[in-house]
Amino acid sequence: MKPLSLPPRLLMGPGPINCYPRVLQAMSTQLVGQYDPVMTGYMNEVMALYRQVFNTRNKQTLLVDGTSRAGIEAVLVSCIEPGDKVLVPVFGRFGHLLAEIAERAGAEVHTIETPWGTVFEPEQIEAAIREVRPKVLAIVQGDTSTTMLQPLEHLGEICRKYDVLFYSDATASIGGNPFETDAWGLDAVSVGLQKCLGGPSGSAPVTLSEKYVACVRKRHHVEAGIRDSHHQVASGSRIRSNYFDLPMIMDYWGEERLNHHTEAASMLFCARECAVNLLEEGQDQVLKRHQLAGNAMLAGVQAMSLKPFGDLKNKMTNVVGVTIPDNVDGEGIRHTLLNTFNIEIGTSFGPLKGKIWRIGTMGYNAREDAVYHTLQSLETVLRRAGFALQPGAAVDAAMDVYAGQQHV
């Protein structure tokens, strides 16, 4: 077998993206035992770091081993008992995912929908909560399938008013868009590393409020073989997943260190470095960098006479949707970009499949040279395919955005 030999791709799609070099280096660190004090010390450090990333004081802030979907499933399956009502506002593909996972957990799922490319007003969500009276509101903050960012800041107050658990998946948005767990009144949040946090997929940071923890602790179960006399029998039904049982995972991350699984040490080191990288640069500075890169990419796209998709007032900073012109072979353009210029951009799903491109500026790739290289390459491929545009206008527009920012 030949050694691994991957092409030098620049990943400018909706994620995953190229990792920060220091994150890759952290993943190659040699292992220690899972109960070595050094290892458990780093676990505690990761919890403290991600409290800062999430902007929360939640004690239960930890990692679920698995992709971002593992975090979603752990949060939902741990709090949903069969027959519980769950409300999911759907404005893209990943709202449908939340609904499916909740349904598989036995929930009575209610959805409200808005056209892809738009988001919900708080009044729409409150009206649905008032009608459904759900146990959980589950909503995506940034849905990369549509590139839209759902405002969350008014939903916590609504959920408190009706005694609803407030959960959001912020995988695609955290680190590149503001996220305030405590200030916005969230009870549970799950994310992944492979977008603005600049790591690979494979670890799902979550944070859980005291209200959420009290809810799932009613279903607390300790496995036979590690159960001691002081462990009490849960009053609620047993959580249907062993691997995604958050009370058991909390026991593993807590002082008792009850064995649940063997922590994915390399991913923990990686997740730690993602958080350190974000916090050392400074959250505000990272948000500004993503906003600037996103603005420059948007300006460049528009300068090529391409039409952005969706409501730009509610666009994520870190990805832009681009309507594929009628006279352009969208997949052909993506193929040439990938195989000639080593640049990956994405298409979308469902009703937007083959109708838009999605161009990301996330994490390590939210930088000036990556924006220019992508725009110049896309312009060249489009021009050679016969699409009418003004040569050089895209990069000039992006450079003007950066120059204007530097002069502020």
Side-chain angles (χ1 to χ4, degrees), residues 33 35-36 44 63 69 150 154 186 188-189 245 273 291 321 338 344 366 387:
Y35 295 115
D36 188 308
N44 290 340
L63 305 179
R69 190 175 296 216
Q150 171 64 49
H154 302 298
L186 283 132
V189 185
D245 185 315
E273 203 63 29
Q291 184 70 68
L338 184 69
E344 179 182 276
F387 182 71

Side-chain angles (χ1 to χ4, degrees), residues 57-243:
R57 298 178 67 181
N58 289 340
K59 178 182 178 182
Q60 299 298 345
T61 301
L62 44 82
L63 305 179
V64 175
D65 288 344
T67 66
S68 52
R69 190 175 296 216
I72 297 170
E73 188 149 351
V75 169
L76 291 177
V77 76
S78 294
C79 72
I80 294 171
E81 297 188 72
D84 284 344
K85 294 181 179 180
V86 175
L87 175 66
V88 183
V90 177
F91 61 100
R93 180 217 165 165
F94 294 101
H96 288 298
L97 173 63
L98 299 188
E100 173 163 330
I101 291 174
E103 198 171 66
R104 284 172 179 252
E108 178 187 314
V109 177
H110 297 258
T111 61
I112 54 174
E113 299 194 31
T114 190
W116 288 27
T118 66
V119 297
F120 293 93
E121 295 295 333
E123 296 78 12
Q124 294 174 279
I125 295 174
E126 181 171 11
I129 288 176
R130 190 165 52 244
E131 179 181 350
V132 173
R133 300 289 172 158
K135 178 179 182 179
V136 182
L137 171 69
I139 191 167
V140 175
Q141 186 196 29
D143 196 314
T144 53
S145 67
T146 68
T147 74
M148 294 295 104
L149 188 79
Q150 171 64 49
L152 302 179
E153 54 266 32
H154 302 298
L155 302 185
E157 183 179 352
I158 294 170
C159 287
R160 283 194 299 273
K161 179 179 177 181
Y162 295 94
D163 193 25
V164 175
L165 287 172
F166 179 20
Y167 160 64
S168 179
D169 165 45
T171 295
S173 48
I174 199 163
N177 305 265
F179 197 91
E180 299 287 341
T181 300
D182 288 357
W184 295 349
L186 283 132
D187 292 300
V189 185
S190 66
V191 302
L193 305 180
Q194 72 273 20
K195 311 281 187 175
C196 301
L197 294 178
S201 178
S203 183
V206 302
T207 188
L208 313 169
S209 73
E210 291 182 3
K211 179 179 178 180
Y212 178 93
V213 171
C215 172
V216 300
R217 281 291 189 195
K218 295 175 183 176
R219 309 177 72 189
H220 185 213
H221 169 73
V222 178
E223 295 173 354
I226 60 172
R227 190 184 306 137
D228 289 330
S229 58
H230 70 278
H231 293 131
Q232 298 180 350
V233 177
S235 59
S237 63
R238 185 179 299 185
I239 292 168
R240 291 190 169 191
S241 171
N242 176 289
Y243 189 74

Side-chain angles (χ1 to χ4, degrees), residues 363-395:
Y364 183 53
N365 295 344
R367 62 181 200 269
E368 198 168 351
D369 65 298
V371 172
Y372 298 156
H373 186 39
T374 301
L375 288 170
Q376 181 63 69
S377 301
L378 178 59
E379 177 194 285
T380 299
V381 176
L382 283 168
R383 179 174 51 79
R384 290 179 62 84
F387 182 71
L389 49 77
Q390 182 181 345
V395 172

Side-chain angles (χ1 to χ4, degrees), residues 230-294:
H230 70 278
H231 293 131
Q232 298 180 350
V233 177
S235 59
S237 63
R238 185 179 299 185
I239 292 168
R240 291 190 169 191
S241 171
N242 176 289
Y243 189 74
F244 294 131
D245 185 315
L246 279 176
M248 291 205 296
I249 296 173
M250 287 187 278
D251 286 344
Y252 179 58
W253 281 76
E255 293 178 4
E256 200 167 5
R257 300 289 176 192
L258 288 180
N259 182 257
H260 177 256
H261 63 286
T262 301
E263 178 60 25
S266 295
M267 287 307 303
L268 181 136
F269 302 152
C270 161
R272 176 185 179 275
E273 203 63 29
C274 287
V276 169
N277 192 81
L278 173 73
L279 298 170
E280 283 188 354
E281 184 176 349
Q283 280 188 316
D284 289 344
Q285 184 56 41
V286 174
L287 292 175
K288 289 177 183 176
R289 177 163 59 84
H290 279 86
Q291 184 70 68
L292 183 56

